[in-house]
Amino acid sequence: MELLVNSVLLMLLVATAGALVVVRGLLASTMLTSVYGLLSASFFVTMDAVDVAFTEAAVGAGVSPLLLLLTVAAIGRGEPRAAGALPILAIVLVTITGALLIIGTLDMPPFGSADAPAHTHVAPRYLQLSGEEIGIPNVVTSVLASYRAFDTLGEVLVIFTAGVAVLLILATPGQRGSARPRYTPGSHSEPHTILQVVSKILIPFILLFALYVQFHGEYGPGGGFQAGVIFASGIILYGLLYGLPTVCRVVRPAVVETLAAVGVLLYGTTGLLAMLDGRPFLDYSVFAANPVLGQHIGILLVELGVGITVASVITVIYYAFANQFEMAEG
Amino acid sequence: MLSQLALLPVLLPLIGAPACAVLRRPTAAWAFASTVAVLAFVAAAALLQATARQGVIHYAFGGWAAPWGIEYRIDLLNAFVLLLVSGIAAVVLVASRASVWHDIAENRRTLFYVACLLCLAGWLGIAATGDAFNLFVFLEISSLATYALVACGRDRQALVAAFNYLVMGTIGATFILIGIGFIYMLTGTLNMADLAQRLPGLGESRTVFAAYAFIVVGVCLKLALFPLHLWLPGAYTQAPAIVTAYVAATATKVALYVLIRFSFSVFHLESSRLALSLEAVFISLGVVAVFAGSLVAVFASNLKRALAWSSIAQIGYMAVGVGIGTVAGVQASLIHLFNHALMKGALFLALAAIAMRVGGNELQALRGIGRRMPLTSAAIVVAGISLIGVPGTAGFISKWYLVTAALAREQWLLALLIVAGSLLTAVYIWRFVETAWLDQNPAQPATPPQEAPPLLLAGTLLLALANIYFGLDTRLPVGTAAGAAAGLLGDSAAGLLGHPPAPLPGAGAP
Amino acid sequence: MSAVLAILSGACLLLGSFLLLTGALGFLRFADFYARLHACGVTETLATALIILGLMLLSDSYLPPFKLLLILLFVLFSSPTASHALAKAAWNAGVRPRDNQGKRDLPLPAGER
Amino acid sequence: MDVLSYFNYWVVVVLMMLGFFIVIARANLVKKLIGLNIFQTSVFILYISTGKVAGGAAPILTEGVTLYSNPLPHVLILTAIVVGIATTSVGLALVIRIHAAYGSVNQNDILQQDQQC
């Protein structure tokens, strides 16, 4: 049964990717990308990677198509063009890469086998000991926020870098401050009454759900990153329906930009506190006499830092992109 | 305190970048970023001294022991690259103010320095880490920041260059990710030291071969080794002047470090069946890169573009050193890594000054520049003859060790080609000398000297003089490189060359 | 008791899946944009509701049905709204209802654009 | 050799090739980024497939369950997904600026315009 679901999902993925090769319109490609994200998220669920599936659903099927749509809106759909000459070089390169990949798979441990080295060397400790060492049920969160917390700091820094990079690239010369949207009332000609009413009902719950995901990540799938994305999506939904100027009055760009840095600093400071006590960076045992409690506090703080940065950076990126769209319109 | 030293060079820019973003005034951001870079440099110098004295320094994040947590294992090679990168970054950032104020619009300056610090954090994180996946994460931090910095160039072509860089860089990073995934499948670990122990036991696994191939191709994309160099000329030429100096002297060096680290300390290339074929690949690609890069540089009409192509040629020399694959070869490669950073740092800083005064780096516009900006032009010449490899300069030392390493393997032709490549270098450096002093611009009356702003000039001269200093006192690069290469190849025979790895004269040297 | 529940739940799931299938068929076969939207928009809401109901009946504790109920509420709000947004966007973009063969635009009642 | 045991990996290889092909062969810059996205996502699928243990449960400790799938690839891919979206957003920002500067997002048009001046 599992095998059947697996194969069907994989075939759908191949079909989507194939369609992406053929389709030329940007709007259709964007939709297919979203489908691809959703399908891969479903596949991750069948592979027991619930946290990853959650993230991929939020990012692959949500944020990245949204950014693509905003881009397409700003640059126009463009005319689909007929294919040029057969891209021989591309075919050769791709074939070589594919051949190399196939060669690489030949000596791999078979799919799903429990005695593969990947499942016998480092990972067992996480599964066996994280219960008593960290004391939270979600092993992915344990590894993410404690055993490999430095990687996660790097991850937060990556998303922070993305925010900085987008602002740096899209800041229009001559404009004071960074990419601040202009306040042009009535840039949306038509009110979306039904959508606005429904979203007004939903947005509080979206934000509430984000908080649930944020603080429940130790027990179930979820955590700072997913929560941040969901929180930002609430803000983005508001922005899409009420216009950029309105959302900017509610959630000020300057505040969000500062919060992006604050999240990283919160993470970093959590790590630094251990150093002040002479222990290694990100050693949470400094927070409480009981090491398990210390881990709890540390993970809570660190995840909060992740959530704040992710929510702010995604909002900042949305502001910057939507601003470009409004400039293209006006 | 000492126990925290291993982390300090990385941690400073890593925490410094978000802190810098909170600053509102660009001048404050510049001062802050420069301070952070200088402090990181001091920390790296102390770290190098500590590693030279007591060997490998371990640092386990979060207190979790090695294969389960992330670990820094700072040996001489890590410390050497950390010192070089943070040193160049410190000089360039301190010197950058005037040029950045000239090139970058006011509302972008603070973010510009944040991106610079993020870049630095990424590079230092790559150079310090002992975990394969952690390396990938920091690689992406530095890459993303670099794309944005390149896109800040004044011309619209900068945007295209940045986009191409982004696409190729991401392909490279994804290849590295595939490679890491393969070796993780086979060994179950991501820790480099642990990998090094477990990989040889796998014998002739085709998956190991594919993993190494993907990692090498990915790293070579970042390294811009011919023929994977396509992003480099555009990115270097179109980036803001100061960014070129910042990136050219560091990013490819870090990529070379990654190549060496994976080849010799993770995959143990020297003892593998792959060694022979890879030797041929690196040496031949390296030699082609030397000639192709130099030839394009000779005919380029823009000095910045010429030097960008020259970087491709110089990367070729480093690849040759890796290809020779002996302790001497790797040592030569590392020495050249160090010296080339000094040369290109000085050259591109000087070009930044010229771009400020003249408005561009077209050779045609540089006529008579030797009289208008005598010190800056002199710095170009000094760094240029170092690039050629004239005795008495740092470049000579690199070439010397490279030729010696080739001869030790009885590769006569290779040695000859290395020397011949230098002659081509001499041609394009001569073209600058000719334009700057001999070719008077008839339309333009003799203008009074108009030197670069003081800090920029100081940075340029410091790096140019470093080229002379390290041509005469070679203990720091040669000694450290010898120790690092010996450590990599697990061979204590480095002493044969007469350079014991340990003693380091004041690690705070420029 | 549990047998009855199982049969009930199975019936809900089957009916829901069948409705989804008809929706998909309509989406493929109908003539114009609005008819297609109608086909999948209407069936989807009911089908999702039935499937969620079927899953709720299967569970033996209180928390999962409660969560499913929340999801159901969310779907009941969001799915018709999404259909509405799509239809409105299509209208604004100038898509007009077509005849049964999908060959030409239908004439609009007087007073409409 | 059991063909089925490698089926997953081979499909993933096909996905990667398709994504990689879009990146190289398509001249539209947005399309290139989409291809990059597909390429990266396929690598994620490879990693996650590695982490699967047949008959295992999701790595959330539950009483009575002894066999879990490997959590480590999940952690790595969480990070990699973030890297992916970061790259996409920076790339799209560049595309918007390129469109403003050149009036086109087609690689060939841009190349042509650059050569003219």
Side-chain angles (χ1 to χ4, degrees):
Chain A
M1 189 62 203
E2 204 170 277
L3 192 71
L4 184 72
V5 175
N6 241 343
S7 322
V8 169
L9 280 174
L10 281 173
M11 284 304 118
L12 284 175
L13 278 167
V14 172
T16 315
L20 268 167
V21 173
V22 183
V23 165
R24 277 165 199 278
L26 290 185
L27 216 49
S29 303
T30 306
M31 287 303 132
L32 284 171
T33 316
S34 184
V35 170
Y36 195 85
L38 196 63
L39 284 173
S40 46
S42 318
F43 182 73
F44 293 154
V45 174
T46 68
M47 294 283 112
D48 302 331
V50 277
D51 279 276
V52 183
F54 199 162
T55 312
E56 177 64 23
V59 169
V63 176
S64 96
L66 174 83
L67 294 181
L68 278 166
L69 280 179
L70 286 169
T71 310
V72 174
I75 67 175
R77 274 190 227 188
E79 288 300 302
R81 295 186 187 210
L86 197 67
I88 301 205
L89 179 70
I91 291 175
V92 171
L93 274 178
V94 170
T95 317
I96 294 175
T97 315
L100 197 54
L101 279 164
I102 296 283
I103 291 176
T105 61
L106 292 181
D107 285 337
M108 271 180 195
F111 173 72
S113 73
D115 52 359
H119 308 315
T120 52
H121 181 37
V122 170
R125 171 181 168 141
Y126 299 141
L127 291 168
Q128 286 154 14
L129 294 185
S130 77
E132 41 190 282
E133 284 176 346
I134 316 275
I136 59 173
N138 190 345
V139 186
V140 173
T141 305
S142 299
V143 179
L144 182 101
S146 188
Y147 292 105
R148 294 186 69 88
F150 191 57
D151 256 359
T152 310
L153 177 57
E155 170 192 325
V156 180
L157 218 58
V158 166
I159 196 84
F160 177 72
T161 312
V164 170
V166 167
L167 282 183
L168 199 53
I169 292 168
L170 290 182
T172 15
Q175 202 181 12
R176 293 274 311 164
S178 36
R180 297 282 149 68
R182 300 158 310 149
Y183 289 81
T184 45
S187 59
H188 286 258
S189 50
E190 211 180 345
H192 305 285
T193 319
I194 295 178
L195 297 179
Q196 286 178 346
V197 169
V198 172
S199 70
K200 270 204 172 160
I201 299 171
L202 288 184
I203 286 174
F205 289 102
I206 293 177
L207 300 188
L208 200 65
F209 181 55
L211 292 179
Y212 169 78
V213 171
Q214 170 81 49
F215 295 109
H216 196 257
E218 301 179 9
Y219 305 99
F225 186 79
Q226 293 93 332
V229 175
I230 295 171
F231 202 88
S233 73
I235 299 173
I236 292 173
L237 182 60
Y238 190 77
L240 287 175
L241 289 171
Y242 290 85
L244 197 53
T246 319
V247 72
C248 284
R249 272 200 296 278
V250 180
V251 187
R252 294 201 166 270
V255 176
V256 187
E257 282 165 29
T258 313
L259 278 178
V262 167
V264 186
L265 286 173
L266 176 62
Y267 201 133
T269 320
T270 310
L272 280 175
L273 286 177
M275 288 178 84
L276 291 182
D277 203 35
R279 290 178 220 205
F281 190 62
L282 291 168
D283 188 340
Y284 302 143
S285 53
V286 72
F287 290 113
N290 176 355
V292 174
L293 184 62
Q295 291 289 342
H296 265 292
I297 298 174
I299 290 177
L300 202 71
L301 287 173
V302 158
E303 289 270 19
L304 194 62
V306 177
I308 293 175
T309 297
V310 170
S312 337
V313 168
I314 291 190
T315 312
V316 162
I317 292 177
Y318 161 71
Y319 282 171
F321 274 69
N323 188 38
Q324 295 293 321
F325 168 59
E326 301 226 332
M327 288 199 306
E329 288 278 286
Chain B
M1 183 56 215
L2 183 68
S3 59
Q4 309 283 9
L5 190 60
L7 177 60
L8 223 47
V10 183
L11 195 62
L12 282 164
L14 198 147
I15 303 286
C20 188
V22 184
L23 299 174
R24 284 281 159 235
R25 293 166 56 88
T27 312
W30 163 72
F32 183 81
S34 310
T35 316
V36 168
V38 170
L39 287 178
F41 172 62
V42 173
L47 186 59
L48 180 61
Q49 232 173 4
T51 28
R53 213 177 321 114
Q54 65 186 61
V56 178
I57 298 179
H58 293 260
Y59 191 91
F61 284 91
W64 300 113
W68 296 285
I70 291 170
E71 179 201 37
Y72 276 7
R73 284 178 90 260
I74 309 287
D75 60 12
L76 265 181
L77 177 59
N78 296 112
F80 182 57
V81 179
L82 286 174
L83 179 80
L84 173 72
V85 171
S86 57
I88 296 281
V91 174
V92 172
L93 284 183
V94 169
S96 68
R97 188 173 185 276
S99 177
V100 169
W101 259 244
H102 181 260
D103 278 347
I104 310 288
E106 203 231 326
N107 60 343
R108 286 182 176 185
R109 286 175 198 153
T110 306
L111 284 176
F112 180 87
Y113 281 109
V114 177
C116 284
L117 281 181
L118 287 167
C119 248
L120 183 61
W123 291 328
L124 296 179
I126 298 170
T129 191
D131 188 277
F133 193 81
N134 194 244
L135 187 144
F136 166 76
V137 175
F138 278 82
L139 184 74
E140 281 298 320
I141 296 175
S142 65
S143 307
L144 283 172
T146 317
Y147 308 146
L149 288 176
V150 170
C152 286
R154 315 193 107 204
D155 222 0
R156 64 177 181 176
Q157 290 172 27
L159 298 168
V160 182
F163 188 86
N164 288 337
Y165 190 8
L166 179 133
V167 170
M168 292 192 209
T170 307
I171 292 177
T174 311
F175 272 30
I176 295 175
L177 190 64
I178 295 175
I180 293 173
F182 279 6
I183 51 178
Y184 173 71
M185 271 185 203
L186 292 174
T187 59
T189 184
L190 293 162
N191 183 287
M192 290 185 193
D194 203 15
L195 280 172
Q197 282 187 347
R198 295 175 146 256
L199 278 175
L202 295 166
E204 313 271 295
S205 165
R206 284 166 289 191
T207 307
V208 174
F209 165 74
Y212 182 67
F214 274 106
I215 290 179
V216 164
V217 173
V219 175
C220 285
L221 261 165
K222 294 272 178 190
L223 174 66
L225 178 61
F226 188 91
L228 302 171
H229 65 281
L230 294 168
W231 57 267
L232 188 143
Y236 280 17
T237 314
Q238 300 300 338
I242 215 70
V243 173
T244 311
Y246 193 58
V247 173
T250 43
T252 50
K253 311 298 168 290
V254 173
L256 184 78
Y257 156 78
V258 177
L259 180 67
I260 290 177
R261 176 62 81 193
F262 269 106
S263 297
F264 297 108
S265 94
V266 175
F267 282 94
H268 286 295
L269 198 61
E270 71 280 3
S271 57
S272 132
R273 193 170 54 99
L274 291 172
L276 269 180
S277 55
L278 275 160
E279 179 187 320
V281 169
F282 278 125
I283 291 183
S284 51
L285 285 185
V287 170
V288 175
V290 167
F291 283 92
S294 302
L295 272 176
V296 180
V298 166
F299 291 104
S301 64
N302 180 316
L303 192 54
K304 207 175 170 196
R305 181 168 280 275
L307 290 179
W309 280 97
S310 142
S311 276
I312 293 170
Q314 302 297 320
I315 289 161
Y317 286 117
M318 296 176 217
V320 168
V322 175
I324 292 174
T326 57
V327 174
V330 175
Q331 184 198 5
S333 191
L334 288 174
I335 296 171
H336 196 49
L337 177 153
F338 183 89
N339 291 335
H340 181 239
L342 297 180
M343 299 166 201
K344 280 289 150 65
L347 284 169
F348 281 120
L349 271 186
L351 286 192
I354 290 179
M356 272 183 75
R357 295 292 182 236
V358 181
N361 297 127
E362 293 294 327
L363 264 178
Q364 227 171 358
L366 299 188
R367 282 189 287 186
I369 196 78
R371 288 188 181 75
R372 283 179 64 197
M373 305 176 76
L375 288 173
T376 308
S377 306
I380 294 188
V381 172
V382 170
I385 56 174
S386 177
L387 196 63
I388 301 168
V390 173
T393 60
F396 173 70
I397 308 295
S398 343
K399 297 270 164 69
W400 174 259
Y401 276 94
L402 199 56
V403 170
T404 317
L407 291 181
R409 295 282 305 266
E410 304 199 329
Q411 308 243 19
W412 305 101
L413 182 64
L414 181 60
L416 199 68
L417 287 172
I418 292 170
V419 178
S422 300
L423 295 179
L424 279 175
T425 315
V427 175
Y428 55 81
I429 296 302
W430 173 250
R431 279 187 71 199
F432 169 75
V433 175
E434 196 181 9
T435 332
W437 278 280
L438 307 179
D439 190 3
Q440 263 304 354
N441 191 343
Q444 194 184 3
T447 36
Q450 197 187 17
E451 259 304 341
L455 269 178
L456 187 53
L457 186 63
T460 316
L461 291 179
L462 180 68
L463 287 179
L465 290 179
N467 274 298
I468 308 254
Y469 176 81
F470 287 111
L472 303 173
D473 177 4
T474 61
R475 281 171 299 175
L476 173 66
V478 173
T480 318
L488 277 174
L489 293 156
D491 180 20
S492 55
L496 290 179
L497 290 164
H499 293 286
L504 290 172
Chain C
M1 185 60 198
S2 67
V4 178
L5 278 184
I7 291 170
L8 263 179
S9 127
C12 284
L13 289 177
L14 265 180
L15 190 58
S17 314
F18 174 74
L19 282 177
L20 272 186
L21 203 67
T22 53
L25 199 66
F27 179 73
L28 285 175
R29 298 293 303 262
F30 281 0
D32 75 341
F33 177 81
Y34 297 98
R36 289 174 180 203
L37 187 66
H38 185 75
C40 53
V42 170
T43 54
E44 190 198 26
T45 315
L46 184 57
T48 322
L50 279 171
I51 289 177
I52 290 177
L53 192 69
L55 292 175
M56 282 163 80
L57 292 175
L58 276 183
S59 158
D60 48 2
S61 69
Y62 292 104
L63 199 55
F66 178 66
K67 287 183 180 172
L68 285 168
L69 188 71
L70 289 182
I71 296 174
L72 180 62
L73 273 177
F74 183 82
V75 171
L76 286 182
F77 268 107
S78 64
S79 166
T81 317
S83 302
H84 163 78
L86 273 175
K88 188 166 173 173
W91 183 266
N92 285 346
V95 179
R96 295 292 172 263
R98 306 200 134 203
D99 67 358
N100 280 342
Q101 273 74 44
K103 292 270 164 52
R104 59 188 173 81
D105 287 357
L106 285 176
L108 296 174
E112 290 286 332
R113 269 179 293 169
Chain D
M1 184 177 70
D2 186 5
V3 174
L4 256 184
S5 61
Y6 290 102
F7 174 72
N8 259 33
Y9 295 142
W10 288 343
V11 175
V12 174
V13 169
V14 171
L15 290 176
M16 284 193 228
M17 287 167 70
L18 288 172
F20 193 37
F21 178 79
I22 299 176
V23 183
I24 315 178
R26 292 288 170 260
N28 190 306
L29 302 186
V30 180
K31 202 73 201 230
K32 271 184 193 292
L33 287 176
I34 290 178
L36 218 48
N37 216 326
I38 302 295
F39 186 37
Q40 287 179 317
T41 310
S42 314
V43 178
F44 305 161
I45 299 179
L46 175 78
Y47 268 74
I48 296 296
S49 303
T50 313
K52 172 74 179 170
V53 175
I60 296 175
L61 300 176
T62 327
E63 274 186 46
V65 181
T66 47
L67 191 61
Y68 296 99
S69 284
N70 188 343
L72 189 50
H74 303 180
V75 175
L76 306 181
I77 290 315
L78 278 175
T79 306
I81 290 179
V82 176
V83 169
I85 181 68
T87 313
T88 310
S89 55
V90 175
L92 287 174
L94 282 171
V95 167
I96 292 180
R97 283 286 308 280
I98 289 175
H99 184 265
Y102 287 85
S104 168
V105 289
N106 190 293
Q107 203 178 26
N108 304 331
D109 293 353
I110 292 166
L111 213 63
Q112 217 170 14
Q113 285 190 37
D114 272 344
Q115 275 162 356
Q116 275 166 3
C117 56

